[in-house]
C-alpha cells in the first residue's frame, strides 16, 4: 500500500512539475513558446495537406511559397535563397555571374526571347550576337513559349562551360537567316563605371552604375585619370544605381572627405547589427567641387554616398528625390545549403537621419504599405547647419523638373516598333558616326513613320478616355443636353490623329530611336554618351560647378539661419 501510494505521489509530483514547467516556460518566455507552437501547427498543416488534399501537391513549391509570402510580409529585401539559387545571391553581392553577357526581351508575337542588348567584350558580343536575334534552341532544346526567366536560366551556367545556340536573324528581305553559335560562358561582371570623360569647362564626369563587386578601386583610378586630363571639378552620376555594398560607398566617400569622419551608422535589434563606419584613409581631394546626380532609382549604398556628401556639405546634390532605402541586409546561413538575406538594421547618415521612405512595420489594414508623409518627417542639419529631412530618400539641393514622356512613346516601345526599326536600320548601315556626332536624319524619321503606319499601329489616348468619362458624368448629372455642342467641338479637336502625334512628339521619339541605334554599335558606353547630349540634370550640375560663388553659397548656412 505504501509502495502504491509512493508511486502515485511520485507520478503526481512529476505531473505537477511538468505543468509548472510548461506554464513557467509559457509565461517566462512567451515568444519562444509562440514560435514553437506555430512551427508545430505549420508542420502539421503541411503533413495533413500532403496526405488528404484532393490533388497531389508539390511540397517543395508549397513550403517555398509559404516562406516567400512570410518574408515578403516583412519587407521586399528579406529573401530566402535555397541551395540551387545561391548563384543569384552571389551575383547580388559580387556583381558577377556565369553567362553570355546580354539582356534579353520577350516577343509576344513570336513567343520567343530576343537578344535586346549584348554587353561589350562578353561572349555574346565576341561570337557576334546582335540585338534582334531571335533565340531558337539551346543545346537542341526548343525555346518556343519559354519565358525570359527560363531562357535566362538556360543561358547561365558555370564559367568555362559551353553550349550550342541556334538563332534566327532578321534580314533585309523581311525573312530570317538561321545561324548557330558555340558559346563558352564567362564570368560576367557588369562594368561599375560604364563611362567617364572630361566635359566642357574641365568638368570631370563619372557614371557609377553599381556598388557591387569592387567599384571603389575603379572609381579611384578613373578619378585620378580625369584629373590628369585636366578635370577641375567632378560630376558623380548615381542615377539608376540601385546600390550594393555599404563598405564600397564609405570607401568612395573617403576620397573626398577627411580621415575619421563617420559616414554611416547602423542600428539593429542585436549588438552585432549596430556599427559605425568611418573614413579610414587619407582623402584623394578635399577641395575639388563635386556635384552628384540622383533620381528616383538611386537607392541604398547610392543614398549613403550622396547623402553623406550632402550632410557633410562636400557636394551639391542635383536631380530628383532618391528611392529611400535605409535598410541593411546581411546573409544568414540556413540548413541544406540555403541562405537568407535578412534585414538586420537601419542606417543613418552623418546628420543622424534615416532615408527609409516606406514604413513596413506599420501597415494599413489591408496589408498595404505607404510612404512616410512629408508632414511626419523630421528636420536634421548638415555639418554647416543646412536643413535636411529624413523619411523620404535624399532630397536634392537643386531639383530638376522631370520631363514626362508622351503616351504614344510607351506604345511604340511596347509594340517593339522602335526596336524593330533599329534592327532594320542596322542591317542597312554597317557603320555609323561616333556617338558624339550621330544624328537621326529627317529622311530616317520619315522612314520610321512609314513603318509605324504600315504596322497598323493603335494606341490609347488618355484625353479620349477622360473625355468619355466626363461625358458619362455629364449625362448622369443632367448637363449633357446643354453642353452637347461643346462636347462635339472637343471631340473634334481631340480626334485620334497618328500623323499629327508622330510629328508633335517627334523630339522624344527621335531621341528614343537614336539611343536604340547607337547602342547597337557602341554598346552601353555609346548609349550614355547619346543620353548626355540632352540631359537637364547634367546641365544644372555643370552650371553650379562653373559658378564657384554660387557653389560655395549653396553649401553654406543661409544668411537668415545664421542670425
Amino acid at each position: 500500500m505504501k509502495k502504491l501510494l509512493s508511486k502515485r505521489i511520485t507520478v503526481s509530483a512529476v505531473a505537477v512539475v511538468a505543468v509548472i514547467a510548461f506554464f513557467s516556460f509559457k509565461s517566462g518566455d512567451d515568444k519562444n513558446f509562440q514560435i514553437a507552437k506555430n512551427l508545430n501547427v505549420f508542420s502539421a498543416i503541411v503533413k495533413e495537406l500532403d496526405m488528404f488534399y484532393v490533388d497531389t501537391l508539390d511540397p517543395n513549391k508549397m513550403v517555398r511559397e509559404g516562406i516567400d509570402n512570410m518574408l515578403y510580409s516583412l519587407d521586399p529585401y528579406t529573401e530566402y535563397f535555397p541551395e540551387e539559387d545561391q548563384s543569384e545571391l552571389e551575383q547580388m553581392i559580387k556583381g558577377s555571374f556565369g553567362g553570355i553577357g546580354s539582356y534579353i526581351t520577350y516577343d509576344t508575337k513570336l513567343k520567343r526571347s530576343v537578344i535586346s542588348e549584348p554587353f561589350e567584350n562578353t561572349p555574346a558580343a565576341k561570337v557576334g550576337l546582335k540585338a534582334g536575334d531571335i533565340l531558337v534552341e539551346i543545346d537542341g532544346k526548343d525555346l518556343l513559349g519559354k519565358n525570359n526567366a527560363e531562357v535566362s536560366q538556360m543561358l547561365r551556367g558555370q564559367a568555362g562551360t559551353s553550349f550550342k545556340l541556334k538563332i534566327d536573324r532578321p534580314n533585309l528581305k523581311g525573312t530570317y537567316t538561321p545561324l548557330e553559335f558555340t558559346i563558352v560562358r564567362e564570368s560576367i561582371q557588369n562594368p561599375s563605371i560604364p563611362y567617364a570623360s572630361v566635359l566642357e569647362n574641365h568638368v570631370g564626369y563619372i557614371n557609377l552604375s553599381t556598388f557591387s563587386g569592387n567599384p571603389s578601386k575603379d572609381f579611384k583610378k578613373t578619378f585620378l585619370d580625369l584629373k590628369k586630363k585636366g578635370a577641375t571639378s567632378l560630376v558623380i552620376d548615381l542615377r539608376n544605381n540601385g546600390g550594393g555594398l555599404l563598405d564600397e560607398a564609405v570607401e568612395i566617400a573617403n576620397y573626398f572627405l577627411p580621415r575619421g569622419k563617420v559616414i554611416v551608422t547602423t542600428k539593429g535589434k542585436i549588438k552585432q547589427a549596430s556599427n559605425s563606419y568611418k573614413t579610414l584613409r587619407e582623402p584623394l581631394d578635399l577641395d575639388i567641387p563635386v556635384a552628384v546626380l540622383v533620381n528616383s532609382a538611386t537607392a541604398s549604398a547610392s543614398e549613403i554616398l550622396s547623402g553623406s556628401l550632402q550632410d557633410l556639405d562636400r557636394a551639391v546634390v542635383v536631380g530628383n528625390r532618391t528611392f529611400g532605402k535605409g535598410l541593411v541586409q546581411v546573409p544568414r546561413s540556413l540548413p541544406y545549403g540555403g541562405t537568407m538575406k535578412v534585414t538586420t538594421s537601419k542606417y543613418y547618415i552623418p546628420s543622424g537621419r534615416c532615408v527609409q521612405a516606406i514604413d513596413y512595420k506599420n501597415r494599413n489594414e489591408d496589408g498595404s504599405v505607404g510612404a512616410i508623409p512629408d508632414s511626419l518627417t523630421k528636420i536634421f542639419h548638415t555639418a554647416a547647419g543646412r536643413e535636411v529631412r529624413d523619411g523620404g530618400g535624399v532630397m536634392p539641393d537643386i531639383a530638376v523638373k522631370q520631363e514626362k514622356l508622351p503616351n504614344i512613346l510607351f506604345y511604340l516601345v511596347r509594340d517593339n516598333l522602335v526596336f524593330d526599326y533599329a534592327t532594320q536600320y542596322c542591317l542597312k548601315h554597317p557603320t555609323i558616326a561616333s556617338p558624339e556626332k550621330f544624328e537621326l536624319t529627317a529622311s530616317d524619321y520619315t522612314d520610321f513613320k512609314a513603318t509605324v503606319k504600315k504596322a497598323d499601329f493603335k494606341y490609347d489616348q488618355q484625353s479620349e478616355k477622360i473625355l468619355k468619362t466626363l461625358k458619362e458624368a455629364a449625362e448622369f448629372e443632367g448637363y449633357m443636353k446643354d453642353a452637347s455642342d461643346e462636347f462635339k467641338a472637343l471631340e473634334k479637336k481631340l480626334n485620334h490623329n497618328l500623323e499629327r502625334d508622330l510629328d508633335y512628339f517627334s523630339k522624344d521619339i527621335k531621341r528614343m530611336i537614336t539611343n536604340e541605334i547607337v547602342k547597337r554599335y557602341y554598346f552601353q558606353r555609346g548609349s550614355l554618351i547619346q543620353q548626355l547630349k540632352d540631359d537637364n540634370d547634367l546641365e544644372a550640375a555643370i552650371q553650379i560647378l562653373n559658378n564657384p560663388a554660387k557653389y560655395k553659397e549653396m553649401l553654406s548656412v543661409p544668411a537668415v539661419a545664421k542670425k
Side-chain angles (χ1 to χ4, degrees):
M1 184 72 180
K2 286 183 179 180
K3 287 184 179 180
L4 181 61
L5 182 60
S6 174
K7 188 175 181 181
R8 285 176 178 174
I9 290 172
T10 303
V11 171
S12 299
V14 170
V16 169
V17 169
V19 170
I20 291 173
F22 173 79
F23 280 107
S24 103
F25 169 70
K26 186 178 178 184
S27 59
D29 198 357
D30 187 62
K31 186 169 69 173
N32 285 337
F33 170 77
Q34 293 298 333
I35 290 172
K37 168 189 167 184
N38 284 289
L39 285 174
N40 285 333
V41 171
F42 183 81
S43 177
I45 289 173
V46 172
K47 290 175 181 177
E48 292 292 312
L49 288 173
D50 184 52
M51 185 174 293
F52 295 111
Y53 188 72
V54 62
D55 294 322
T56 302
L57 300 174
D58 180 346
N60 290 325
K61 181 181 178 183
M62 185 169 59
V63 173
R64 177 63 190 271
E65 287 180 353
I67 292 171
D68 288 345
N69 280 289
M70 173 180 65
L71 297 181
Y72 194 76
S73 71
L74 303 175
D75 64 57
Y77 315 110
T78 299
E79 298 179 87
Y80 168 58
F81 297 86
E83 186 176 19
E84 60 270 21
D85 291 345
Q86 290 302 297
S87 60
E88 184 181 344
L89 178 61
E90 187 176 348
Q91 180 191 340
M92 289 182 184
I93 297 172
K94 295 183 179 179
S96 64
F97 58 92
I100 68 169
S102 174
Y103 288 132
I104 58 174
T105 187
Y106 189 77
D107 191 306
T108 54
K109 294 177 182 177
L110 298 172
K111 295 185 178 179
R112 289 188 180 277
S113 292
V114 177
I115 298 288
S116 61
E117 184 182 347
F119 307 151
E120 193 170 8
N121 298 321
T122 63
K126 289 175 184 177
V127 300
L129 289 179
K130 299 179 182 295
D133 288 345
I134 301 162
L135 304 184
V136 178
E137 287 183 8
I138 294 178
D139 282 338
K141 295 179 181 177
D142 192 351
L143 303 178
L144 181 66
K146 292 187 181 295
N147 60 39
N148 275 346
E150 293 172 308
V151 174
S152 180
Q153 190 65 33
M154 294 173 73
L155 290 171
R156 291 186 180 186
Q158 191 71 29
T161 58
S162 64
F163 66 97
K164 290 188 181 299
L165 174 67
K166 286 185 179 180
I167 66 159
D168 281 341
R169 177 168 292 170
N171 55 44
L172 288 171
K173 297 177 182 178
T175 58
Y176 301 100
T177 303
L179 296 170
E180 183 174 320
F181 301 91
T182 297
I183 305 178
V184 179
R185 298 180 179 94
E186 295 179 9
S187 178
I188 306 301
Q189 178 86 44
N190 291 333
S192 57
I193 300 179
Y195 178 62
S197 182
V198 178
L199 309 177
E200 60 187 57
N201 295 325
H202 306 288
V203 176
Y205 170 87
I206 299 177
N207 184 293
L208 184 61
S209 65
T210 181
F211 286 88
S212 296
N214 190 19
S216 59
K217 182 179 178 182
D218 294 334
F219 190 99
K220 180 179 180 179
K221 181 180 182 302
T222 302
F223 174 61
L224 293 176
D225 285 346
L226 292 180
K227 288 188 69 175
K228 287 180 182 177
K229 292 176 182 177
T232 55
S233 60
L234 179 67
V235 173
I236 304 173
D237 193 344
L238 297 179
R239 291 175 297 181
N240 304 314
N241 184 327
L245 301 177
L246 181 151
D247 290 340
E248 290 295 305
V250 175
E251 184 71 15
I252 294 174
N254 195 167
Y255 296 154
F256 306 100
L257 294 166
R259 186 176 182 176
K261 289 287 185 182
V262 175
I263 300 301
V264 61
T265 301
T266 61
K267 297 178 183 178
K269 185 164 59 178
I270 61 174
K271 186 178 180 181
Q272 295 91 321
S274 301
N275 207 345
S276 288
Y277 297 81
K278 296 181 179 181
T279 52
L280 301 176
R281 312 177 201 285
E282 291 302 317
L284 297 179
D285 195 323
L286 289 176
D287 301 314
I288 189 170
V290 180
V292 181
L293 304 185
V294 297
N295 65 5
S296 59
T298 300
S300 190
S302 294
E303 293 173 292
I304 291 175
L305 179 57
S306 57
S308 63
L309 293 177
Q310 184 182 59
D311 280 359
L312 296 170
D313 305 294
R314 184 61 187 88
V316 172
V317 179
V318 180
N320 289 271
R321 179 188 292 201
T322 63
F323 182 82
K325 180 180 181 289
L327 305 176
V328 180
Q329 288 75 44
V330 298
R332 300 288 300 172
S333 298
L334 296 175
Y336 301 102
T339 304
M340 180 169 63
K341 181 166 66 74
V342 57
T343 299
T344 58
S345 56
K346 292 182 179 180
Y347 72 73
Y348 300 81
I349 47 181
S351 64
R353 58 180 168 148
C354 179
V355 301
Q356 179 62 27
I358 305 296
D359 186 0
Y360 293 107
K361 183 178 179 181
N362 299 307
R363 292 177 177 264
N364 300 319
E365 290 184 5
D366 62 357
S368 62
V369 293
I372 299 170
D374 290 341
S375 59
L376 295 182
T377 60
K378 297 177 182 177
I379 294 175
F380 293 79
H381 294 89
T382 70
R386 297 183 298 140
E387 286 190 0
V388 288
R389 287 184 173 270
D390 69 352
V394 176
M395 287 294 293
D397 300 304
I398 300 175
V400 180
K401 187 177 180 181
Q402 283 186 306
E403 292 184 3
K404 292 184 179 179
L405 295 177
N407 190 47
I408 187 175
L409 188 54
F410 167 80
Y411 290 97
L412 288 169
V413 172
R414 186 201 65 176
D415 291 355
N416 289 326
L417 288 168
V418 172
F419 184 85
D420 291 343
Y421 175 78
T423 300
Q424 291 299 312
Y425 184 95
C426 293
L427 290 171
K428 297 173 185 176
H429 301 82
T431 61
I432 61 170
S434 66
E436 293 85 355
K437 297 179 179 179
F438 178 78
E439 290 184 2
L440 197 72
T441 67
S443 176
D444 292 333
Y445 192 63
T446 299
D447 290 342
F448 173 75
K449 291 198 295 182
T451 301
V452 173
K453 294 170 186 174
K454 186 178 179 181
D456 193 27
F457 173 63
K458 296 288 191 299
Y459 61 103
D460 290 333
Q461 286 184 304
Q462 294 301 312
S463 54
E464 287 183 351
K465 287 184 176 181
I466 294 170
L467 180 59
K468 182 180 178 183
T469 302
L470 182 60
K471 283 177 66 178
E472 290 172 353
E475 187 79 45
F476 179 75
E477 295 177 353
Y479 295 113
M480 195 61 195
K481 184 177 180 181
D482 293 335
S484 61
D485 291 340
E486 286 82 355
F487 271 110
K488 287 177 182 178
L490 200 54
E491 282 178 330
K492 189 175 181 180
K493 288 187 177 182
L494 297 179
N495 187 37
H496 208 88
N497 188 327
L498 178 60
E499 181 74 32
R500 175 259 179 199
D501 287 350
L502 288 172
D503 288 338
Y504 187 81
F505 297 112
S506 61
K507 180 182 176 182
D508 292 309
I509 299 171
K510 282 181 179 179
R511 188 186 302 167
M512 183 69 75
I513 296 170
T514 302
N515 186 56
E516 186 62 44
I517 289 172
V518 167
K519 71 181 179 182
R520 305 289 181 102
Y521 298 88
Y522 299 102
F523 302 97
Q524 186 182 12
R525 178 179 175 277
S527 176
L528 287 169
I529 293 172
Q530 176 60 38
Q531 292 173 55
L532 292 178
K533 288 181 184 178
D534 187 16
D535 190 319
N536 293 334
D537 293 349
L538 179 61
E539 186 179 335
I542 291 174
Q543 283 182 2
I544 191 67
L545 291 173
N546 287 336
N547 189 336
K550 186 70 175 176
Y551 176 85
K552 185 177 179 180
E553 178 188 341
M554 185 158 285
L555 295 178
S556 304
V557 184
V560 176
K562 290 179 180 177
K563 294 180 179 179

